[in-house]
Amino acid sequence: MDRQESLKVNVDGVRGFGLRNVSSQASLSEMDDFDLSKLLDKPRLNIERKRSFDERSLSELSIALTRGLDNYESTYSPGQSVLDTPASSARNSFEPHPIVAEAWEALRWSLVHFRGQPVGTIAAYDHASEEVLNYDQVFVRDFVPSALAFLMNGEPDIVKNFLLKTLQLQGWEKKIDRFKLGEGAMPASFKVLHDPVRKTDSVVADFGESAIGRVAPVDSGFWWIILLRAYTKSTGDLSLAEKPECQKGIKLIMSLCLSEGFDTFPTLLCADGCSMIDRRMGIYGYPIEIQALFFMSLRCALALLKHDEDGNEFIERIVKRLHALSYHMRSYFWLDFQQLNDIYRYKTEEYSHTAVNKFNVIPNSIPEWVFDFMPMRGGYFIGNVSPARMDFRWFVLGNCVAILSCLATTDQASAIMDLIEERWEELVGEMPLKICYPAIESHEWRIVTGCDPKNTRWSYHNGGSWPVLLWLLTAACIKTGRIQIARRAIDLAENRLLKDGWPEYYDGKLGRYIGKQARKYQTWSIAGYLVAKMMLEDPSHLGMISLEVDKQMKPVMKRSSSWTC
Ligand code: GLC
């Protein structure tokens, strides 16, 4: 596509911004009826699948709005932004910020076509970079914000094409050396090869066999299911999810993560580098990033699976896992001031089911920084929990996905937002958003990262700041009614992103410097910004990527309560 042509498309894209032709409020009615205990009681399901479209979108909107209104004291009237406040009214006139148009143009430049059809977006379109590596590929996780941007702009076809193309790739036989990977594994990325002579297109995919470190992306399958649900919700088109091949794809992914083994926990055991943080960073074990995505995709699968005989068997297994997983996560991964104080005073070497310190965490292993970091107000899901090991680091993706999927209770969700507010300088700084906090340094960096020169302190995955995370923060803010936090973060990003050429990440304690080896024109930095903007403009978009509370989920029993009784 030449530049002229692309500009033309871009104008349409920008025009579409705010003038969507596809409603994001289409209903996947069964998703609203997420009632685990009912399902457990009646394994052969008969869920009431009909809840009206309007009812759903209204109830969803009202959560966002009432919470927003608590803070904003404004009333909703059609045609007027619900987020109007005197302070921000200048920004609410539906006049897109000048960089929005540039962002759309850049996003369209990243489109990848297969036999004439758009099937995804490349990771980065950085002409200046000499080292392309695999940034010219379509990454599954990177495409998620692009997909959401297109869905929100009323352009669902590319998302459908992507879902079908990656589904096809799932069907390939995957091998690393002589070892065969699970059937359900989804690729980390794929590339379209154009043969100009024969005029044919072909695809190569990477399931971990080419990836640095040779790790399979556990998150890809989860994102695929989450995106399928977003597509269905946004378009109201149930026919894609109901296709036998899509149903099979969901079941294959579910089979991978629901299989029984030696596990004693409902969380998913993972290798280092299996998610957005795709190289050694000490997240092996049960990383929050994966557990939150696992939970969300279980809930999405529950909504998407057809209730036939085979489907019902999966539904039953999913429901049981959701119960166990939410209990485990809410009890053992949650940390706030009280909890930290309890752990600090833990007894060790307890035996039998009466143990309070179930994983035998030695209080001496609590890092110094966490005592200063923990505010009186706020809390979060820590990075990892396994025998005698708690990784107290903060990971933003896992915490935001926990909010969006309702893995976090309502109180926990507000506490996470409180923490972000209380620790703004550390977690947001000058460029949203730190991928994790704090960075690991010196000897610990040597041991944990294996001396990774890309992951030096406050850089890249080791405490670097990633603009893509802005969309997740914004979604979490809307869900919890804390829109002012999103505004503040977007303002920061807006001041720099275009000027700096949409970097992949920023470095430094405050995220002030463009990342040492950051790519420019990183697609998910661009798309993440657009999604954040569009969601703020029309909070009903949130429904694509957010699930409602399951009121039947039992409240968490505090660990300390088993001690006292
Ligand atoms: C880096 C990131 C990974 C991303 C890829 C493509 O490897 O760590 O999360 O998917 O780049 O942008």
Side-chain angles (χ1 to χ4, degrees):
M1 192 187 320
D2 66 29
R3 201 159 176 92
Q4 199 59 37
E5 216 181 318
S6 126
L7 268 174
K8 209 165 81 227
V9 180
N10 168 51
V11 169
D12 292 338
V14 175
R15 209 182 294 133
F17 184 74
L19 282 173
R20 263 147 252 106
N21 49 27
V22 170
S23 167
S24 65
Q25 297 163 17
S27 174
L28 235 191
S29 49
E30 63 269 45
M31 278 166 198
D32 305 318
D33 298 307
F34 180 65
D35 176 345
L36 290 178
S37 19
K38 247 191 261 159
L39 292 179
L40 269 183
D41 292 345
K42 289 184 239 155
R44 296 288 159 215
L45 296 154
N46 180 20
I47 298 181
E48 166 59 20
R49 288 174 74 135
K50 301 269 169 311
R51 190 165 143 206
S52 88
F53 210 78
D54 294 353
E55 192 192 334
R56 169 174 180 85
S57 45
L58 272 180
S59 68
E60 240 164 33
L61 212 78
S62 65
I63 297 173
L65 296 186
T66 19
R67 290 185 189 158
L69 292 179
D70 286 341
N71 301 326
Y72 280 88
E73 292 183 337
S74 75
T75 43
Y76 176 71
S77 64
Q80 181 202 336
S81 169
V82 291
L83 309 170
D84 269 358
T85 66
S88 60
S89 53
R91 266 179 275 130
N92 284 323
S93 53
F94 285 161
E95 267 309 308
H97 192 283
I99 81 168
V100 166
E102 306 266 357
W104 272 110
E105 186 183 355
L107 181 61
R108 291 190 195 283
W109 271 105
S110 72
L111 283 174
V112 170
H113 292 82
F114 180 79
R115 299 188 184 147
Q117 298 292 319
V119 286
T121 48
I122 53 167
Y125 197 63
D126 186 356
H127 289 302
S129 171
E130 283 153 24
E131 234 188 1
V132 176
L133 289 177
N134 48 357
Y135 282 85
D136 60 350
Q137 306 214 3
V138 180
F139 277 75
V140 171
R141 70 175 75 87
D142 292 43
F143 182 66
V144 173
S146 297
L148 295 176
F150 287 119
L151 287 175
M152 288 176 191
N153 202 43
E155 299 174 76
D157 286 352
I158 179 173
V159 181
K160 185 178 184 174
N161 297 341
F162 169 87
L163 287 165
L164 288 170
K165 178 61 37 214
T166 41
L167 185 64
Q168 231 176 40
L169 299 176
Q170 185 196 40
W172 286 10
E173 188 181 85
K174 293 147 281 203
K175 263 189 176 171
I176 295 190
D177 295 335
R178 293 173 189 182
F179 188 64
K180 205 166 142 237
L181 263 72
E183 220 188 323
M186 280 279 182
S189 60
F190 66 87
K191 184 174 176 165
V192 177
L193 303 169
H194 303 284
D195 184 331
V197 182
R198 289 196 194 140
K199 297 209 181 339
T200 53
D201 286 350
S202 56
V203 171
V204 284
D206 174 22
F207 294 87
E209 75 277 29
S210 309
I212 297 165
R214 299 287 183 270
V215 182
V218 177
D219 62 340
S220 283
F222 296 155
W223 279 124
W224 186 86
I225 293 177
I226 293 166
L227 196 55
L228 179 60
R229 185 253 173 201
Y231 168 87
T232 313
K233 178 84 165 76
S234 160
T235 59
D237 169 18
L238 283 163
S239 68
L240 178 65
E242 285 182 348
K243 273 180 188 285
E245 57 266 42
C246 279
Q247 292 287 310
K248 185 176 170 208
I250 300 172
K251 287 174 195 165
L252 284 175
I253 297 167
M254 289 291 109
S255 298
L256 274 183
C257 52
L258 293 175
S259 59
E260 291 174 357
F262 289 102
D263 304 298
T264 44
F265 312 134
T267 34
L268 203 63
L269 186 59
C270 297
D272 224 334
C274 65
S275 63
M276 173 181 180
I277 297 178
D278 58 2
R279 48 209 285 158
R280 188 168 149 190
M281 263 304 293
I283 61 157
Y284 58 89
Y286 305 90
I288 179 66
E289 310 279 77
I290 290 294
Q291 311 313 320
L293 284 173
F294 179 29
F295 182 86
M296 182 142 186
S297 64
L298 285 173
R299 286 198 62 190
C300 291
L302 198 57
L304 295 167
L305 280 170
K306 281 169 81 172
H307 297 174
D308 48 27
E309 211 189 339
D310 196 25
N312 282 344
E313 253 169 54
F314 274 93
I315 289 169
E316 219 177 295
R317 287 165 73 192
I318 291 172
V319 167
K320 285 185 181 150
R321 191 63 172 257
L322 276 169
H323 262 293
L325 185 60
S326 58
Y327 177 81
H328 184 95
M329 296 300 296
R330 291 171 183 179
S331 311
Y332 306 125
F333 275 64
W334 183 252
L335 193 77
D336 55 17
F337 178 78
Q338 182 59 48
Q339 192 66 23
L340 179 58
N341 210 153
D342 290 350
I343 299 170
Y344 176 63
R345 289 166 51 78
Y346 264 170
K347 294 188 170 40
T348 55
E349 318 289 329
E350 295 172 297
Y351 182 76
S352 104
H353 59 274
T354 54
V356 176
N357 181 5
K358 293 195 172 114
F359 308 113
N360 200 34
V361 174
I362 320 286
N364 256 343
S365 70
I366 307 174
E368 276 301 314
W369 66 265
V370 79
F371 293 108
D372 298 329
F373 176 72
M374 183 58 76
M376 295 303 292
R377 195 176 76 104
Y380 64 106
F381 290 103
I382 61 170
N384 219 307
V385 177
S386 61
R389 175 175 175 245
M390 287 177 106
D391 178 349
F392 290 91
R393 277 176 297 170
W394 150 266
F395 290 86
V396 69
L397 185 149
N399 276 277
C400 287
V401 173
I403 292 176
L404 295 175
S405 62
C406 297
L407 170 59
T409 62
T410 315
D411 287 348
Q412 287 173 334
S414 316
I416 293 169
M417 301 316 290
D418 289 342
L419 181 94
I420 295 175
E421 234 166 23
E422 296 276 331
R423 293 290 172 257
W424 185 264
E425 193 170 289
E426 290 88 342
L427 305 180
V428 184
E430 293 183 22
M431 175 51 70
L433 218 53
K434 288 254 165 47
I435 193 167
C436 66
Y437 180 89
I440 39 184
E441 312 185 31
S442 322
H443 181 61
E444 202 189 357
W445 166 79
R446 269 180 223 113
I447 305 289
V448 173
T449 72
C451 299
D452 187 342
K454 227 181 152 179
N455 275 335
T456 50
R457 64 180 177 164
W458 308 115
S459 183
Y460 200 41
H461 302 133
N462 188 8
S465 299
W466 292 64
V468 58
L469 298 167
L470 197 58
W471 80 264
L472 277 166
L473 175 74
T474 304
C477 287
I478 297 173
K479 179 138 189 172
T480 51
R482 308 283 282 270
I483 287 156
Q484 74 284 12
I485 299 182
R487 279 209 187 293
R488 220 175 134 190
I490 291 175
D491 281 350
L492 282 172
E494 235 155 30
N495 283 336
R496 297 228 14 212
L497 282 182
L498 177 66
K499 203 165 66 191
D500 294 344
W502 307 100
E504 181 186 14
Y505 63 94
Y506 286 78
D507 284 358
K509 239 180 177 161
L510 290 170
R512 185 179 290 167
Y513 299 93
I514 298 174
K516 198 166 33 183
Q517 293 187 43
R519 293 289 178 290
K520 297 282 186 77
Y521 292 89
Q522 181 80 20
T523 304
W524 68 0
S525 298
I526 299 164
Y529 165 74
L530 284 174
V531 171
K533 288 291 277 190
M534 284 192 274
M535 278 191 297
L536 262 197
E537 188 192 304
D538 179 356
S540 73
H541 284 316
L542 179 71
M544 276 186 216
I545 202 68
S546 161
L547 305 171
E548 284 191 47
V549 178
D550 166 42
K551 297 193 184 68
Q552 307 299 318
M553 281 253 212
K554 293 196 188 85
V556 172
M557 227 177 64
K558 279 263 173 196
R559 243 176 305 179
S560 34
S561 58
S562 64
W563 179 242
T564 44
C565 61

